[in-house]
Amino acid sequence: MAFEAEIVKTQLEVQEQTMQNIGADLHDNIGQLLSLSSLTLNSIQLDDLEKAKQKIEAAIDLTGRSIKEMRLLGKLLQGDQLIGVGLSEAIYHEINWIEKSGKYQVNYLHEGDFPVKNNVDKDLIIFRILQEVINNIIKHSFATQINIKLAYVNQNMELYIDDNGIGFNAGNLPVSKMGMGLQNMSKRGKNCRRRSICAVARK
């Protein structure tokens, strides 16, 4: 029952994180593109046809980029469905969202022959751990590069994440000093190991 309860909690948290990502993307990216489109169209002066043509072409380009971003956002909106397609695919979409900020270089390595039939519950927990780690990196690490490796070794799935930020040694932190995020990751890692061993590293 504890594992099933953890799955439900994780599903809700993944959905919440997905909605936060969508809200940020709508505001910071798509909203900006549409505002620029509107500004460009409103600045058109018909007495200068050459400049008007250039601005119309620019507005068309901005609109096309907005449509492309909306399609990507639609894939992100699928949330849990991405996990059903596969953990690696879900990670690719998460990386795509991170890289949009232009603040991080993300390197992703996928190694091993993964089972044809994936364990969606286990993958969901691992994906949420990944989101928690990335959130910590964004909030606290002052990093510019993030390295992610997902490997399947000896029938075990392993997730490694490190960055070039300031870092800390989680092993030296007493439980009382650990934030909720770290405690959740530790708990989920234990739950995950009961079903199929997974290793998570944050350097």
Side-chain angles (χ1 to χ4, degrees):
M1 289 296 293
F3 184 77
E4 283 70 21
E6 189 65 36
I7 288 296
V8 173
K9 179 183 176 184
T10 303
Q11 287 174 330
L12 292 173
E13 289 178 345
V14 168
Q15 289 170 5
E16 180 183 358
Q17 182 64 49
T18 299
M19 295 307 296
Q20 288 178 4
N21 290 351
I22 289 170
D25 212 25
L26 283 170
H27 181 271
D28 300 334
N29 196 15
I30 296 173
Q32 184 180 34
L33 287 171
L34 292 174
S35 294
L36 285 172
S37 299
S38 176
L39 184 65
T40 301
L41 290 171
N42 285 326
S43 68
I44 291 175
Q45 300 291 333
L46 295 179
D47 56 350
D48 189 335
L49 294 181
E50 185 59 34
K51 283 188 177 179
K53 180 182 177 182
Q54 292 175 0
K55 289 185 177 182
I56 290 171
E57 289 175 348
I60 290 172
D61 177 64
L62 287 167
T63 303
R65 287 165 59 188
S66 299
I67 292 170
K68 183 179 178 181
E69 292 297 327
M70 284 295 291
R71 286 174 178 165
L72 291 173
L73 202 58
K75 290 182 179 180
L76 185 63
L77 189 57
Q78 292 173 357
D80 293 353
Q81 294 179 34
L82 282 176
I83 303 296
V85 174
L87 178 59
S88 187
E89 183 70 16
I91 291 174
Y92 273 120
H93 282 281
E94 193 74 9
I95 289 171
N96 179 70
W97 183 82
I98 298 166
E99 289 181 327
K100 283 182 183 179
S101 69
K103 296 180 181 180
Y104 305 97
Q105 176 189 345
V106 184
N107 302 311
Y108 178 44
L109 185 62
H110 181 266
E111 287 186 348
D113 296 322
F114 284 73
V116 176
K117 185 175 177 61
N118 60 314
N119 185 321
V120 177
D121 290 342
K122 179 190 66 180
D123 287 355
L124 185 64
I125 288 179
I126 295 174
F127 184 66
R128 182 53 188 161
I129 290 174
L130 172 104
Q131 287 185 318
E132 295 244 23
V133 174
I134 288 174
N135 280 340
N136 282 345
I137 291 172
I138 292 171
K139 290 179 182 178
H140 307 298
S141 76
F142 300 100
T144 57
Q145 180 174 312
I146 302 172
N147 302 308
I148 301 171
K149 177 181 175 182
L150 182 68
Y152 194 72
V153 182
N154 297 325
Q155 297 185 326
N156 296 324
M157 187 176 292
E158 301 176 350
L159 174 67
Y160 299 92
I161 306 170
D162 66 72
D163 61 69
N164 64 348
I166 56 176
F168 64 94
N169 190 335
N172 292 337
L173 287 176
V175 175
S176 60
K177 295 291 185 180
M178 292 177 67
M180 188 63 70
L182 288 175
Q183 292 182 44
N184 282 340
M185 281 187 277
S186 177
K187 179 181 177 182
R188 285 172 176 149
K190 290 175 182 177
N191 276 331
C192 191
R193 279 192 288 272
R194 292 192 188 106
R195 293 296 176 107
S196 179
I197 297 174
C198 66
V200 181
R202 161 77 166 89
K203 299 178 182 177

